[in-house]
Amino acid sequence: MGDTAITKTTTAGPASAPGPASATGTVITAGQPVSTAGPGSRGIPSGTGGTPSGTGGIPPGPGIPPSTAPAPDATPGPPLLPAARRADADPDGPANSADSANSADSANSADSTNSADSTNSANAANCADSALTTPITPHDPCAHGFLPERPPVRSLIGTWTRLDAMARAAAIAPDREAAVALVERARRAGELAALRQRVSRLSLRNAEAAAMRVAVIAVSCGWCGIDPQAPAAREVADEAFLDLWAAIAHRIDHDQFVALPTLALHNWAPERKPRRHIPIDQLARTETLVPIVRWAPEGQPLSRLDRLMLAATRLEAHGIWLFRLAETLAGRSPDDSSTPTALRRLVRVQHALRGQLLAEAAELSAAPATPQQRAVLGALVAQSALEPPVLQAADAVLGIGARRLREGRRQLLRRHLPAQHRAWLSAMDRHCAPVRTLAHRGGPDAAVYREAQESLIALRRTYTALVQAAARPTASPLTRAA
């Protein structure tokens, strides 16, 4: 009886084979170990790592035991496409296509079709599992701080050129009523509704560019402090513009984006295109910057508001070393020998940032300003929307804000940052807590920590003075002559 069973197992037809077959027709039994790292296999990101392993195998899908996971073909070839793209490449589908059935040997055509079905279903299930369980790639401020990964988009194309033109016109409007009239005119022309329908088609980079232009329009109209999804906002602002605003906020996953991080860090461009590719923080430090949407008319000197936003961008570019020192101090013990060294370097970086702001102050004070630009600046100050992200990063390391501004005030400042940036700051709050215990100690290490705190306080005061200089009324010709 045993010989008969063995004979039936080895001579059974392809349709009755218990396991999937390879391209050469070899039957793989249930007890035989299966290798998933063949010459032509590709690594598929797992549900926890989020990055391809390069040599990792294909994990079994739901409902498939690990020992019976289908193996890839032994012959090297192109990787399998995901299920959706494969359907586009072959309208008949992999299971019903005559070409896919004829690609295997004629003796094992049925087994090849079944194996392809099993592999495709497992791949589709694994792709779905990865999409549901793979976390978003965490932001790495050591690369470029809170600056965007690529330079902002200079000009939008297609239908979005209407939003570009509307933002440029609203920025140079003489008053809020003129800016609101521009929005109402666009609503009557159907432009806002047309843009609202196209938000989902925007790439993330173009959506951030559109968000910057929406922010310019919102602050020009005096709407920077409202929630576009709140019912009360319909009584204050244009309903079609609020729908566009809410759609873009949903697209970039950031509700409170009408603030300095969007208005400054996404509203600059180098005056001339560099000849070679350089990191974005180096680009913002070394090149002459110009605003994409100017608050001053074309052909006139940059206004104080323009120069303030560019100064905030350069401050972020020069503050890249502060982010790297924050990563160095994260998790360090206060007794570690590298802690005072990192704190001394942090003091030097903050002194350099303060010198950068003092150099910007002279040109900013001499720049022109209109009452509308001062009104925009005052509205942003009232909403606590002018805090540079680099100062919030230093605050997360040294803990100045929790003591001086209270925790609620700190979260109020952070709400204008994207979710990944807020998460990084919260992580720094936790990881730098051991370093902050130096505030209650004595000795040379504690003295270095207090010096870092004092330099951060001086840096924040210098930035506050720069904002106050931008909001100061322009001196009349007679006063300037005197």
Side-chain angles (χ1 to χ4, degrees), residues 260 304-305 307-309 311 357 360-362 364-370 373-378 380-382 386-388 409 457-475:
L260 180 135
R304 292 181 182 176
L305 190 55
R307 294 192 175 278
L308 178 65
M309 296 301 172
L357 292 179
E360 302 275 1
L364 185 142
S365 300
T370 64
Q373 294 165 1
R374 294 198 301 271
V376 167
L377 196 57
L380 291 173
V381 171
L386 284 178
E387 184 75 5
R409 177 69 171 174
I457 293 173
L459 175 61
R460 191 182 294 276
R461 288 176 177 171
T462 304
Y463 178 75
T464 301
L466 189 69
V467 174
Q468 293 174 351
R472 190 178 301 119
T474 305

Side-chain angles (χ1 to χ4, degrees), residues 153-178:
V153 178
R154 279 181 177 265
S155 58
L156 300 176
I157 61 175
T159 309
W160 292 98
T161 56
R162 303 173 185 175
L163 181 65
D164 204 348
M166 193 190 314
R168 297 176 190 275
I172 61 175
D175 49 32
R176 292 180 176 178
E177 289 73 15

Side-chain angles (χ1 to χ4, degrees), residues 269-457:
E271 188 175 22
R272 61 178 182 86
K273 186 176 181 180
R275 297 181 180 179
R276 59 183 179 88
H277 174 73
I278 58 177
I280 189 168
D281 59 292
Q282 182 180 350
L283 180 67
R285 286 196 306 268
T286 59
E287 297 292 333
T288 302
L289 305 184
V290 293
I292 297 175
V293 177
R294 294 168 52 104
W295 293 96
E298 292 289 342
Q300 296 186 11
L302 295 179
S303 66
R304 292 181 182 176
L305 190 55
D306 288 317
R307 294 192 175 278
L308 178 65
M309 296 301 172
L310 293 178
T313 301
R314 281 188 285 265
L315 185 68
E316 294 295 321
H318 285 274
I320 181 63
W321 304 108
L322 192 148
F323 288 95
R324 295 169 183 171
L325 288 172
E327 292 281 358
T328 301
L329 290 169
R332 297 280 182 179
S333 169
D335 299 324
D336 195 318
S337 59
S338 62
T339 299
T341 302
L343 288 174
R344 292 188 188 96
R345 292 176 179 173
L346 186 63
V347 171
R348 291 198 294 268
V349 169
Q350 291 177 158
H351 280 315
L353 294 180
R354 186 165 178 262
Q356 174 70 24
L357 292 179
L358 291 175
E360 302 275 1
E363 294 183 355
L364 185 142
S365 300
T370 64
Q372 167 67 0
Q373 294 165 1
R374 294 198 301 271
V376 167
L377 196 57
L380 291 173
V381 171
Q383 295 297 321
S384 301
L386 284 178
E387 184 75 5
V390 66
L391 297 187
Q392 300 186 47
D395 172 79
V397 175
L398 300 174
I400 301 298
R403 187 184 67 188
R404 295 173 61 88
L405 302 175
R406 296 188 299 274
E407 188 64 27
R409 177 69 171 174
R410 171 188 285 184
Q411 299 303 324
L412 183 67
L413 296 177
R414 292 182 181 178
R415 76 185 192 277
H416 298 297
L417 294 173
Q420 55 185 356
H421 297 171
R422 296 197 305 269
W424 185 86
L425 291 175
S426 298
M428 286 298 106
D429 287 336
R430 298 190 304 270
H431 298 327
C432 293
V435 176
R436 290 196 293 271
T437 59
L438 289 172
H440 311 291
R441 296 188 181 187
D445 294 349
V448 173
Y449 177 78
R450 294 188 185 94
E451 183 182 0
Q453 284 186 321
E454 292 172 359
S455 66
L456 176 57
I457 293 173

Side-chain angles (χ1 to χ4, degrees), residues 129-146:
D129 291 343
S130 299
L132 292 175
T133 60
T134 301
I136 300 175
T137 304
H139 180 70
D140 184 14
C142 291
H144 46 73
F146 285 173

Side-chain angles (χ1 to χ4, degrees), residues 169-170 172-185 188 217-223 371-372 375-376:
I172 61 175
D175 49 32
R176 292 180 176 178
E177 289 73 15
V180 173
L182 290 172
V183 176
E184 293 178 350
R185 190 180 307 117
R188 290 192 299 267
I217 298 172
V219 296
S220 299
C221 296
W223 298 336
Q372 167 67 0
V376 167

Side-chain angles (χ1 to χ4, degrees), residues 153 156 199 202-212 248 251-252:
V153 178
L156 300 176
V199 170
L202 287 174
S203 64
L204 182 59
R205 184 165 177 255
N206 286 329
E208 291 174 345
M212 183 272 291
I248 291 179
R251 178 66 185 88
I252 64 175

